């Protein structure tokens, strides 16, 4: 595995280089991800969409340092990711299983900071701010399981932003909440991204959601996975659930992503992969 | 409303015992058989026998042995369970062996440990520790192993490792199973303290019951058995209170999940 030179300042924050992941099982090896290469710039909001089973979660875990790729590498700030980096936070789909049920809301949000050795006086205001940023300042003493699904996911988001990451990874975070809550949470994530200036990589299977949220949509092919297309979303920065989704440009982009996903599902590979390497 | 509920609780708790005691009273009224206990006499004997010096000489030593043994079993069981449960290698290596040791009835330890440690209090406490450890140990291992994988990944992604991982993740996640093990070990502990005292002792409840029996102090013997029942009951009540506090989150979570209101 070739080691890339540290990226000079101004380069991409998070380069993903030729990531491949092969699972070995009793029935032989399964290549979940073949060859994924893309860069995330600092402060960017990118969505990753792909047909189900396209290895989105596998890729996210490789980026998060929760899983080692079979080959290729992920760099953060010029350093290869070999374990969960300090400056990264993950929001999982299964909010109910990602919050500690024996801790109250506030303790859940506070735990990563406490574990990092931040003094109480310092972490207190950070936790308060994170909770009010997600609109949960009123329930710090509740247990997560006393809250609705949407509120639980808000707690998980509060925990992630209190950790003050440079990169926020979200793995289909709203797949299990109802449509109304989902729209609220989408706007919440946009607001948090703008306010904190973090880099967001948001995995979703929902095409509308990806176009609505992101500055850029990275479409994956079906397994074994490569990048199908990398699409810039040139919608105005101010997004509104009704207005943005009603724009002709939104519909065009949505169309484009939908088409590509359909092609990917039918097994059409991107032209780049067929061209000779180099 | 509250009063009514309290009344109902009391009724269900006391109705059957009251009936049984009444039947017992009527059946033993003629009092011809000297070996059969009679309720009134039993209550009198109970107070005469156990309130006073006997409390210090026999009840306190028994309770001390039981207490030390249980605390030892809980500490050893949880620590070993955490270590074994967190290591795939140790788990695979040791589990068949542990199941075997668990299957051995703990009272047979008594003659063995008598040979190794003599007949003193150390032996009796050791018997309780070793006998009570198994349910706690095996349940802790299971609880650690069953820790939710999403929760594990969450902890990892936030850099929670080492002792912090045990404290914030593994131990609380295993707590419901650990408490199940502790509950099972309570009754084993009471059995072992009595049997070990019957084998070799100069004090304790088990010892006194054997002495009463061999000197034909039959009502006193019965009163000792009643006292053991009371101790077991109190132990269970204390455990219930502790469990309620320690696992408050767990019972709440279960209630929500079973209620299915969301």
């Amino acid at each position: 595995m070739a080691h890339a030179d540290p990226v000079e300042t101004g380069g991409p924050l998070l380069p993903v280089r030729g990531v491949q992941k092969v699972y070995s099982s009793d029935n032989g090896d399964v290549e979940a991800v073949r060859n994924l290469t893309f860069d995330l710039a600092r402060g960017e909001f990118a969505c990753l969409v792909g047909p189900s089973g396209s290895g989105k979660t596998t890729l996210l875990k490789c980026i998060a340092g929760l899983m080692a790729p079979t080959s290729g590498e992920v760099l953060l700030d010029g350093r290869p990711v070999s374990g969960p980096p300090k400056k990264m936070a993950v929001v999982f789909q299964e909010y109910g299983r990602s919050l500690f049920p024996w801790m109250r809301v506030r303790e859940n949000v506070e735990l990563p900071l406490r574990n990092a050795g931040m003094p109480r006086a310092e972490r207190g205001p950070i936790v308060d701010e994170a909770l009010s940023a997600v609109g949960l300042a009123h329930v710090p003493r509740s247990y997560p399981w006393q809250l609705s699904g949407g509120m639980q996911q808000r707690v998980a988001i509060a925990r992630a932003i209190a950790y003050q990451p440079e990169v926020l990874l979200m793995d289909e975070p709203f797949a299990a909440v109802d449509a109304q809550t989902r729209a609220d949470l989408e706007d919440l994530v946009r607001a948090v991204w703008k306010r904190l200036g973090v880099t967001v990589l948001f995995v979703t299977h929902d095409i509308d959601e990806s176009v609505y949220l992101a500055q850029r949509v990275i479409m994956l092919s079906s397994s074994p996975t490569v990048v199908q297309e990398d699409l810039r979303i040139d919608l105005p920065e101010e997004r509104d659930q009704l207005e943005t989704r009603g724009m002709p440009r939104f519909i065009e982009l949505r169309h484009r992503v939908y088409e590509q996903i359909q092609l990917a599902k039918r097994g059409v590979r991107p032209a780049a992969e067929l061209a000779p390497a180099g | 409303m509250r009063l009514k509920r309290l009344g109902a609780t009391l009724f269900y708790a006391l109705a059957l015992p009251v009936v049984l005691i009444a039947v017992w009273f009527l059946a033993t009224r003629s009092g011809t058989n000297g070996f059969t206990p009679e309720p009134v006499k039993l209550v009198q004997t109970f107070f005469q026998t156990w309130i006073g010096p006997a409390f210090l000489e026999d009840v306190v030593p028994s309770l001390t042995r039981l207490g030390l043994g249980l605390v030892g079993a809980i500490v050893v069981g949880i620590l070993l369970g955490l270590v074994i449960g967190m290591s795939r290698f140790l788990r695979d290596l040791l589990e068949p062996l542990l199941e075997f040791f668990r299957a051995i009835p703990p009272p047979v330890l008594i003659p063995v440990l008598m040979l190794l440690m003599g007949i003193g209090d150390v032996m009796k406490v050791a018997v309780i520790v070793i006998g009570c450890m198994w349910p706690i140990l095996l349940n802790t291992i299971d609880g650690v192993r069953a820790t939710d994988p999403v929760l594990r990944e969450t902890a990892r992604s936030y850099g929670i490792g080492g002792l912090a991982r045990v404290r914030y993740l593994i131990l609380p996640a295993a707590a419901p199973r650990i408490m199940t093990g502790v509950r099972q070990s309570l009754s084993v502990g009471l059995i072992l303290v009595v049997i070990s005292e019957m084998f070799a002792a100069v004090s304790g409840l088990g010892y006194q019951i054997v002495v009463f029996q061999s000197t034909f102090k039959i009502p006193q013997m019965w009163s000792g058995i009643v006292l053991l029942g009371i101790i077991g009951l109190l132990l269970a009540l204390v455990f219930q209170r502790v469990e309620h506090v320690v696992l408050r989150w767990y019972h709440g979570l279960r209630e929500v999940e079973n209620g299915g209101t969301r």
Side-chain angles (χ1 to χ4, degrees):
Chain A
M1 174 164 59
H3 244 247
D5 292 320
V7 181
E8 70 277 18
T9 36
L13 172 69
L14 187 92
V16 177
R17 296 269 173 261
V19 165
Q20 184 206 22
K21 180 71 191 179
V22 179
Y23 291 103
S24 342
S25 74
D26 296 341
N27 307 321
D29 293 350
V30 178
E31 188 180 33
V33 174
R34 173 161 291 173
N35 182 354
L36 278 175
T37 300
F38 59 88
D39 289 338
L40 283 186
R42 192 179 294 276
E44 195 172 24
F45 195 135
C47 276
L48 208 59
V49 287
S52 53
S54 62
K56 299 186 290 277
T57 297
T58 303
L59 174 64
L60 195 94
K61 282 185 178 167
C62 287
I63 294 175
L66 290 168
M67 192 186 264
T70 310
S71 68
E73 64 180 348
V74 177
L75 301 167
L76 176 61
D77 261 337
R79 264 184 236 103
V81 170
S82 55
K86 176 85 196 56
K87 285 285 135 198
M88 226 183 236
V90 188
V91 175
F92 295 90
Q93 179 186 337
E94 305 97 328
Y95 47 80
R97 293 165 57 200
S98 159
L99 296 169
F100 295 79
W102 44 85
M103 291 182 186
R104 296 170 194 277
V105 165
R106 202 191 155 77
E107 294 165 329
N108 263 288
V109 176
E110 198 174 16
L111 179 64
L113 303 178
R114 194 164 140 196
N115 180 63
M118 184 186 282
R120 183 184 294 266
E122 203 178 317
R123 63 188 192 235
I126 296 175
V127 173
D128 288 336
E129 210 194 307
L131 281 172
S132 59
V134 301
L136 283 182
H138 58 295
V139 292
R141 306 242 339 124
S142 300
Y143 285 99
W145 38 265
Q146 292 173 317
L147 308 176
S148 68
M151 281 167 96
Q152 289 185 39
Q153 196 55 295
R154 280 169 196 264
V155 177
I157 294 170
R159 179 172 61 185
I161 62 182
Y163 196 53
Q164 300 171 310
E166 281 178 27
V167 179
L168 184 56
L169 302 175
M170 307 185 89
D171 186 8
E172 305 201 20
F174 309 146
V177 297
D178 60 87
Q180 185 57 55
T181 310
R182 190 173 186 144
D184 292 345
L185 289 174
E186 285 167 2
D187 291 334
L188 172 73
V189 167
R190 285 276 305 180
V192 163
W193 166 67
K194 269 198 202 149
R195 217 173 81 186
L196 302 180
V198 292
T199 308
V200 179
L201 182 62
F202 190 106
V203 171
T204 177
H205 61 255
D206 184 324
I207 291 160
D208 284 55
E209 183 168 76
S210 70
V211 174
Y212 178 74
L213 282 176
Q215 296 175 305
R216 175 184 170 199
V217 173
I218 301 166
M219 284 155 265
L220 302 181
S221 73
S222 53
S223 186
T225 309
V226 297
V227 173
Q228 182 92 7
E229 193 187 339
D230 196 333
L231 183 69
R232 189 134 290 280
I233 303 296
D234 48 3
L235 291 168
E237 274 302 291
E238 268 322 309
R239 305 223 173 144
D240 178 90
Q241 290 286 353
L242 289 177
E243 230 168 85
T244 308
R245 286 176 193 268
M247 285 179 177
R249 185 61 188 151
F250 180 90
I251 294 161
E252 276 169 37
L253 288 164
R254 181 185 173 283
H255 214 93
R256 176 78 195 158
V257 178
Y258 186 82
E259 244 169 32
Q260 286 300 315
I261 300 293
Q262 288 305 313
L263 285 175
K265 270 192 198 163
R266 288 207 299 273
V268 176
R269 313 292 293 180
E273 195 200 21
L274 303 170
Chain B
M1 199 59 215
R2 210 188 133 89
L3 208 70
K4 205 170 151 189
R5 228 182 42 222
L6 187 74
T9 310
L10 275 178
F11 173 79
Y12 285 116
L14 296 178
L16 193 58
V18 166
V19 171
L20 288 177
I21 289 169
V23 170
W24 175 24
F25 178 77
L26 292 173
T28 56
R29 211 162 32 150
S30 48
T32 45
N33 186 341
F35 293 108
T36 314
E38 296 158 42
V40 177
K41 193 149 177 236
L42 187 63
V43 171
Q44 285 169 352
T45 319
F46 183 89
F47 285 107
Q48 282 161 12
T49 311
W50 300 113
I51 308 298
F55 186 78
L56 282 180
E57 282 160 25
D58 294 305
V59 182
V60 170
S62 288
L63 288 180
T64 310
R65 286 164 196 151
L66 180 62
L68 288 175
L70 283 174
V71 169
I74 290 169
V75 170
V76 174
I78 291 176
L79 286 181
L80 279 181
L82 287 174
V83 171
I84 297 170
M86 284 192 287
S87 155
R88 174 92 191 262
F89 169 75
L90 284 178
R91 244 165 35 209
D92 291 350
L93 187 73
L94 294 176
E95 262 190 335
L97 205 66
L98 295 178
E99 288 294 344
F100 170 75
F101 280 121
R102 177 205 174 89
I104 298 173
V108 301
L109 287 169
I110 295 165
V112 179
L113 289 183
M114 271 168 70
L115 285 176
L116 295 173
M117 307 176 121
I119 59 166
D121 283 338
V122 178
M123 180 277 282
K124 294 184 188 72
V125 173
V127 165
I128 299 171
V129 172
I130 296 172
C132 292
M133 190 180 74
W134 300 107
I136 302 172
L137 176 63
L138 293 169
N139 273 292
T140 306
I141 293 173
D142 277 349
V144 171
R145 178 173 30 200
T147 304
D148 192 299
V150 177
L151 224 44
R152 285 174 191 270
E153 282 197 329
T154 303
R156 249 189 89 200
S157 74
Y158 283 112
I160 298 167
L163 278 180
R165 195 172 109 92
V166 175
R167 176 175 164 198
Y168 297 123
L169 172 67
I170 304 287
L171 197 56
R177 292 300 302 268
I178 293 175
M179 292 312 267
T180 304
V182 172
R183 185 180 11 228
Q184 289 168 9
S185 74
L186 292 182
S187 49
V188 178
L190 194 58
I191 293 170
L192 288 178
V193 75
V194 173
I195 299 183
S196 69
E197 286 168 355
M198 285 175 166
F199 259 88
V202 289
S203 67
L205 269 166
Y207 164 77
Q208 274 304 337
I209 288 172
V210 172
V211 169
F212 287 143
Q213 184 257 354
S214 56
T215 52
F216 292 98
K217 292 183 173 164
I218 303 305
Q220 283 86 340
M221 180 193 81
W222 282 112
S223 76
I225 292 168
V226 170
L227 182 57
L228 280 173
I230 292 171
I231 290 172
L233 197 65
L234 289 177
L235 218 53
L237 283 177
V238 169
F239 174 82
Q240 223 175 49
R241 294 308 305 168
V242 172
E243 199 224 24
H244 184 77
V245 173
V246 174
L247 293 185
R248 196 206 311 269
W249 64 270
Y250 180 71
H251 296 307
L253 180 65
R254 280 280 154 282
E255 222 168 272
V256 170
E257 280 177 357
N258 296 337
T261 44
R262 276 180 306 139

